[in-house]
Amino acid sequence: MNGFIEVLKTSRLTMSDDDLNRAIEMMQLERKGRQVRRMSTNKRSMRPGTAVSFQNRRTQTTMTGEIIRIKTKKAIVKVGDVNWDVPLSMLSAE
């Protein structure tokens, strides 16, 4: 964990409710912007047949497979005999 996280942990204790709500909104907007940029980059660079990996949200294991089809915001990824519907922002090229 970097020092910035420690500063946030300490700062949250002294922030007013309004300041805390504004900080949360700011972080959510930044996260959403990063997801959109990652999705756009992946959509331009990935094609069916591209080997990719992603993290399974339930088990936190890394899955690797091949893109079968790219949709508007998601891709169908074949992992073994199972097809996964994965958000483009979660994919990493292998």
Side-chain angles (χ1 to χ4, degrees), residues 2-92:
N2 63 28
F4 181 71
I5 299 298
E6 294 304 318
V7 170
L8 280 176
K9 283 183 178 181
T10 304
S11 297
R12 70 185 166 90
L13 299 174
T14 59
M15 293 175 130
S16 69
D17 287 345
D18 288 339
D19 289 341
L20 187 59
N21 286 334
R22 277 183 271 172
I24 290 169
E25 288 173 10
M26 184 176 54
M27 298 298 269
Q28 288 172 333
L29 281 171
E30 179 62 26
R31 182 174 185 232
K32 182 66 175 171
R34 290 180 185 201
Q35 285 176 335
V36 167
R37 286 189 298 275
R38 206 169 31 248
M39 182 187 69
S40 296
T41 300
N42 284 349
K43 190 165 186 167
R44 282 191 309 270
S45 64
M46 295 179 177
R47 302 283 176 255
T50 303
V52 294
S53 63
F54 62 96
Q55 188 142 11
N56 184 327
R57 288 184 181 169
R58 287 189 187 147
T59 63
Q60 297 300 310
T61 57
T62 300
M63 313 282 283
T64 56
E66 181 180 302
I67 293 178
I68 302 299
R69 181 174 156 226
I70 295 179
K71 302 189 294 182
T72 304
K73 293 185 178 184
K74 295 183 178 185
I76 305 295
V77 179
K78 185 173 182 103
V79 178
D81 293 334
V82 180
N83 289 343
W84 291 73
D85 199 13
V86 184
L88 287 166
S89 61
M90 290 180 59
L91 296 175
S92 299

